[in-house]
Amino acid sequence: MLNLKLKKGLRHFSVDISQKISNETLVLIGHSGCGKSTTLKMLAGLLSPDEGKIELKDHVIYDNQKKINLPPEDRTIGFVFQNYALFPHLSVKENIAYGISKLATEEREKRINETLSFLGIEALAQSKPSMLSGGEQQRVALARALVTQPKLLLLDEPLSALDVSTRSHVRTELKELLGKLSIPTIVVTHDYEDARVLADRVAVMDKGKIIQTGTPREIAQFPANHFVAEFTGTNLIAVETADSEISDYVAFDPWKVKVSRESKNSVLEWHGEICDMAVTGGFVRLHINGRSSFYADIPIETYEQMDFQIGEAIYACVGPKEVRTIKLEKDEGSPVEQKGIQRPEKNVKQLWKWGYTLVAILAITFLMFTYVFSSQRANGFTNESQIEMFSLVAANATDPFNKLIEEFENDHSNVNVEATYAGTQIIRTQLEQGAKADLFLSADLDHIEAVKQQGLISEFFPVSNNHLVIVIPKDNQVGIHSLKDLSSKKVKLVIGTDTVPIGKYTREVLEKAKVKYGEDFYEKVLANVVSFETNVKQVLQKVSLGEAEAGIVYTTDVTPEFLKKVKIIEIPKEYNIVATNYISVPNAAPNKNLAEEFMHMILSDKGQKTFLKYNYDPLSEDFQ
C-alpha cells in the first residue's frame, strides 16, 4: 500500500495531491504541465515537497514534520523514464545488472535471469540498445527497474517514445506485464487511450489537483466536468428547458449520435455546423459546433452516402436510453458524478426549479458586476484585457527566468507570461518553424547568430555568463577529485551530445586540457563516456541516481535539490569556458513593445542581480 499526501508550490499553481494506492495500476492523466511528473519526482526523491508525507508498505520514506527524507537509492522505488535512459555501450544484461551491482554475483545472476524470463527478453540479453525496437527497449527499461525488487513502480510517459504503429501492441503487452506485478504502480500519461488500457484506476489531474478518480469505464461514463469529458472523448452537453434554462447535463458516446440534414424533433436534438471531420477506423468523426460543441462518429458508408461538407449545418440527436445524466452541483454549478443511470426526460420535469434559481443567481451577479464596473468607470478606472506573452528559453536559465517572469507580471497586472524551456537547438527549431515568441534566449552564440542571419531577429545581447563543473555522487566510490581523474581512472561518465551547447563546451574543455594532461587526454575521457544526453538535467539525474559516477554540467544546474545528492568539483579556469546566454526580441513578436520592456528589465541591474542570485557568473567574469 502506498499512502501519499504531498504539496509543492510551482510558479502558477501548487501540486496538492492525496492518494491511497494498493497493489494496482493507477494512471495519472492530464495536460502537459499539470503536475504529473512533479508528483513522480517527489515520490522518487528527485524533488522535495514543501510539505506532506509518503508511506510505502507501512514504512515512512518522507515526512516533512518529522524531518524524514530518504534519498532515492534507499526508497526501493523503480523508475522508468520517458526516454528509457538506457546505456548505449552496455548490453541488455549489463543494463539490467547496473542497479544491483553491489549484490553478490550469485544473487545478481539469479535476479537478472528471473527478470529476463519474466519479461520474455532472454534472447536479447547480449544485444545493445541500438539493436532493439522501441517496444524491446521499453521492456529492458522496465527490467532494470524491476530487478531491484521495488516496492513501488513509477512510469513516466512510457509509450510516448513509440511511433503510432508500434504503440498499440506495446500498450497491450505493458498491460499484461503490469497485471502480473503485485506492487503499487503509477503511470503518468497525457493520452487517455493509454489510461483506458493500462489503468485499474484513473486519476484526472488539472493544475496540481486530482479532480476525479475511478475506473476507466466510470470516468468515461460519468465525467465529473467538461475537462474530464474532453480527455475521455465523451460528449457532455447541457439539456435546456423550453425557456432556454439549463436543467441538467447529459453524457453520451460519439458513436451513439445520429445525424441528418432535417430535424427529427427529438427531445435530445441539437443543431450545429460541421467544423471538422476526421477518419477514425471505420468511422468519420464529425466535430459539430452550435450552442454546444460535441462529436458524432458515423460509419464511412453513411458519410459517403450523405456527403457531408465542412461548414454545413446539420441536426444531431441521441436516444434517451443512450445518455447518462450528470447533475449540477448546487453550490459550485459544475457537473459531478452520479451513481446509476437516470433518464433525462424525467429529470427535465423534476429539476425545472433549479433553472429559475440559476437564472436568479446570474441576474444578481450581473447587477453586482454592472454596479462595480460603473463605479470604476466613474473613478476613471477600467481593467485592461489580459495580454498573453510567450518566450522560448534555453533550459539552463529556467530558475532565474521564472523569477523574472514573476517580477514582470507583478509590475503588469494584465500580462501573463508563459515560457517553453528546452535545449537551444529545440527552441531555435521552434522559432524557425514559426513559433510566435516574444523573447528568445539562447545558450549558444552560433544558434542565435544563425537565427539573426535568417532575419528572425535583428539584434541580440549577452544576458548572463556560466561555467562548467564536474558532478559526482555523494559517496564518490571511484575517487574523482579533479578533471585529470576523468581519464586516469575507470569512471562511468555522462556528458552532453555534441549537438547541444553543454556537449560542445565539454569537448572544448577537454581539448584545452590536452596541453597539461597529454594529447591522448581527450580520447581517454571520451572512452569512459557511458551515455550522451541532450539535456543537462538528464546528466544530473543519472549521477544523482547512481547510474553514472561523474558528469559535466553548468554550475547553475546544480540546484539545492541536486546538491543534496551530488558533489561539485571545479574545473580549472585555464581550461574552463565562458558559457554565455544571449537574449533577443524576435522580429515577429506579437507583443513587441512589452517584449522590449521585459528584455531591458532582464538586462538591467535588477535583472542581473536575479541571475547572480542563481549562481550565474557576472558578465565581466572571464574563465579563459
Side-chain angles (χ1 to χ4, degrees):
M1 171 71 74
L2 170 68
N3 194 348
L4 66 101
K5 186 175 180 64
L6 299 171
K7 290 186 179 181
K8 179 70 176 179
L10 304 180
R11 188 162 69 88
H12 287 303
F13 59 86
S14 294
V15 173
D16 187 350
I17 182 171
S18 178
Q19 284 285 306
K20 289 184 178 181
I21 306 167
S22 59
N23 294 340
E24 61 180 334
T25 298
L26 176 76
V27 175
L28 200 55
I29 187 170
H31 290 309
S32 297
C34 74
K36 306 185 302 297
S37 293
T38 296
T39 300
L40 292 194
K41 289 176 182 176
M42 287 192 287
L43 288 169
L46 300 176
L47 186 66
S48 292
D50 295 332
E51 58 181 278
K53 183 178 180 180
I54 305 172
E55 190 175 4
L56 180 58
K57 301 287 186 182
D58 299 321
H59 181 57
V60 176
I61 61 176
Y62 175 82
D63 190 325
N64 174 256
Q65 293 185 344
K66 295 183 179 180
K67 307 298 182 184
I68 298 173
N69 189 8
L70 297 186
E73 61 270 20
D74 293 337
R75 294 196 177 198
T76 60
I77 294 176
F79 202 136
V80 178
F81 292 95
Q82 183 175 351
N83 64 351
Y84 307 143
L86 300 177
F87 294 114
H89 72 298
L90 300 180
S91 68
V92 165
K93 186 175 181 179
E94 290 168 334
N95 264 283
I96 296 172
Y98 189 84
I100 54 172
S101 57
K102 295 180 181 179
L103 292 179
T105 302
E106 185 177 345
E107 175 64 17
R108 185 168 63 248
E109 288 296 317
K110 178 184 176 184
R111 285 202 196 180
I112 292 170
N113 292 332
E114 287 177 348
T115 307
L116 287 168
S117 175
F118 175 75
L119 294 168
I121 52 175
E122 301 100 315
L124 304 178
Q126 302 307 319
S127 302
K128 295 290 180 66
S130 60
M131 302 165 62
L132 307 179
S133 68
E136 290 169 339
Q137 288 186 36
Q138 185 200 70
R139 285 187 174 233
V140 176
L142 189 57
R144 192 170 62 181
L146 295 179
V147 77
T148 62
Q149 298 182 349
K151 295 178 182 177
L152 169 66
L153 180 62
L154 308 175
L155 298 95
D156 191 2
E157 298 280 3
L159 300 167
S160 63
L162 305 175
D163 57 71
V164 176
S165 60
T166 305
R167 189 165 182 153
S168 179
H169 79 263
V170 174
R171 184 191 291 123
T172 304
E173 289 180 354
L174 182 58
K175 169 66 175 178
E176 181 182 350
L177 293 171
L178 296 181
K180 296 178 182 178
L181 300 177
S182 187
I183 59 173
T185 301
I186 301 178
V187 179
V188 156
T189 184
H190 63 273
D191 188 331
Y192 182 72
E193 187 62 15
D194 292 347
R196 186 188 68 79
V197 174
L198 298 176
D200 295 312
R201 281 195 303 129
V202 177
V204 184
M205 194 173 196
D206 184 31
K207 295 181 179 178
K209 293 180 173 57
I210 301 296
I211 57 177
Q212 187 178 8
T213 61
T215 66
R217 179 176 174 79
E218 288 170 347
I219 294 288
Q221 289 280 305
F222 297 98
N225 54 26
H226 286 90
F227 183 85
V228 179
E230 176 190 343
F231 266 112
T232 62
T234 302
N235 291 318
L236 185 61
I237 296 183
V239 176
E240 299 178 349
T241 67
D243 299 323
S244 297
E245 296 171 358
I246 296 176
S247 65
D248 251 333
Y249 281 80
V250 291
F252 54 94
D253 304 310
W255 54 89
K256 301 293 187 181
V257 182
K258 307 295 183 184
V259 296
S260 62
R261 289 189 170 91
E262 309 232 342
S263 173
K264 302 294 184 183
N265 295 316
S266 173
V267 175
L268 294 170
E269 183 176 79
W270 299 272
H271 187 244
E273 183 179 286
I274 301 173
C275 59
D276 191 25
M277 294 188 295
V279 177
T280 57
F283 291 84
V284 175
R285 170 159 289 189
L286 308 181
H287 185 186
I288 303 169
N289 195 22
R291 295 191 64 170
S292 298
S293 180
F294 60 97
Y295 296 98
D297 291 346
I298 62 174
I300 287 182
E301 312 86 71
T302 303
Y303 165 73
E304 291 175 345
Q305 180 182 355
M306 301 294 290
D307 193 27
F308 290 122
Q309 302 294 322
I310 291 179
E312 182 178 355
I314 62 172
Y315 290 89
C317 66
V318 64
K321 293 183 180 181
E322 308 294 350
V323 302
R324 290 88 62 185
T325 299
I326 311 295
K327 284 185 177 294
L328 289 174
E329 181 69 61
K330 294 179 183 178
D331 296 327
E332 298 179 4
S334 61
V336 296
E337 180 176 333
Q338 289 294 301
K339 302 297 183 184
I341 299 178
Q342 303 178 38
R343 303 305 175 208
E345 64 268 24
K346 296 180 182 178
N347 294 322
V348 170
K349 296 177 182 178
Q350 294 172 353
L351 298 176
W352 60 268
K353 58 182 179 181
W354 295 115
Y356 287 115
T357 302
L358 181 62
V359 171
I361 293 171
L362 291 173
I364 292 171
T365 304
F366 175 75
L367 290 172
M368 291 177 66
F369 172 79
T370 303
Y371 171 76
V372 173
F373 183 73
S374 299
S375 299
Q376 290 175 338
R377 291 196 62 179
N379 288 296
F381 173 81
T382 57
N383 286 326
E384 299 178 66
S385 59
Q386 191 73 10
I387 298 173
E388 300 290 333
M389 295 181 66
F390 174 63
S391 301
L392 293 169
V393 182
N396 81 78
T398 299
D399 291 333
F401 203 86
N402 274 338
K403 183 63 177 176
L404 290 164
I405 287 177
E406 182 181 320
E407 294 174 4
F408 190 74
E409 288 179 341
N410 287 338
D411 294 338
H412 300 77
S413 59
N414 65 317
V415 174
N416 178 59
V417 183
E418 296 290 342
T420 288
Y421 300 100
T424 299
Q425 177 64 63
I426 294 173
I427 60 173
R428 170 187 166 181
T429 300
Q430 290 177 314
L431 189 66
E432 291 172 337
Q433 291 179 347
K436 299 299 182 183
D438 292 296
L439 287 170
F440 176 72
L441 191 151
S442 170
D444 183 77
L445 181 61
D446 291 341
H447 283 302
I448 202 161
E449 285 183 337
V451 297
K452 182 180 179 182
Q453 290 175 1
Q454 295 176 54
L456 298 175
I457 64 172
S458 297
E459 56 183 353
F460 59 86
F461 306 92
V463 67
S464 64
N465 280 344
N466 207 345
H467 67 279
L468 275 60
V469 294
I470 301 168
V471 288
I472 58 174
K474 283 285 188 181
D475 57 14
N476 190 20
Q477 294 184 357
V478 180
I480 303 297
H481 301 289
S482 67
L483 178 64
K484 181 181 179 181
D485 289 339
L486 297 185
S487 70
S488 61
K489 297 186 177 182
K490 189 64 178 176
V491 54
K492 294 171 181 173
L493 177 66
V494 181
I495 65 174
T497 69
D498 57 7
T499 60
V500 297
I502 184 65
K504 184 177 75 171
Y505 297 151
T506 296
R507 287 160 177 77
E508 289 181 16
V509 168
L510 300 179
E511 191 69 37
K512 291 169 70 173
K514 286 164 57 175
V515 175
K516 183 173 182 179
Y517 301 132
E519 284 299 318
D520 60 349
F521 174 74
Y522 183 99
E523 288 74 20
K524 283 185 176 180
V525 174
L526 286 188
N528 282 332
V529 174
V530 296
S531 181
F532 296 101
E533 302 295 336
T534 58
N535 188 307
V536 183
K537 299 297 184 186
Q538 292 171 340
V539 176
L540 277 160
Q541 282 185 349
K542 286 193 172 181
V543 175
S544 66
L545 288 172
E547 295 180 359
E549 294 157 339
I552 299 180
V553 300
Y554 298 114
T555 182
T556 53
D557 285 304
V558 192
T559 63
E561 289 293 333
F562 277 115
L563 270 177
K564 297 175 183 177
K565 308 173 185 71
V566 302
K567 293 180 181 178
I568 289 177
I569 297 175
E570 290 287 344
I571 296 172
K573 286 188 177 181
E574 60 266 31
Y575 312 127
N576 219 314
I577 53 94
V578 176
T580 303
N581 283 338
Y582 300 90
I583 195 166
S584 64
V585 174
N587 292 332
N591 306 284
K592 200 154 191 176
N593 290 337
L594 276 171
E596 293 280 357
E597 183 182 345
F598 191 7
M599 182 177 72
H600 289 309
M601 186 198 88
I602 294 171
L603 296 173
S604 69
D605 290 342
K606 177 182 178 180
Q608 289 302 294
K609 286 179 181 178
T610 299
F611 275 94
L612 293 177
K613 178 182 176 182
Y614 288 95
N615 297 322
Y616 282 79
D617 304 320
L619 282 176
S620 58
E621 190 77 26
D622 187 358
F623 277 86
Q624 293 188 7

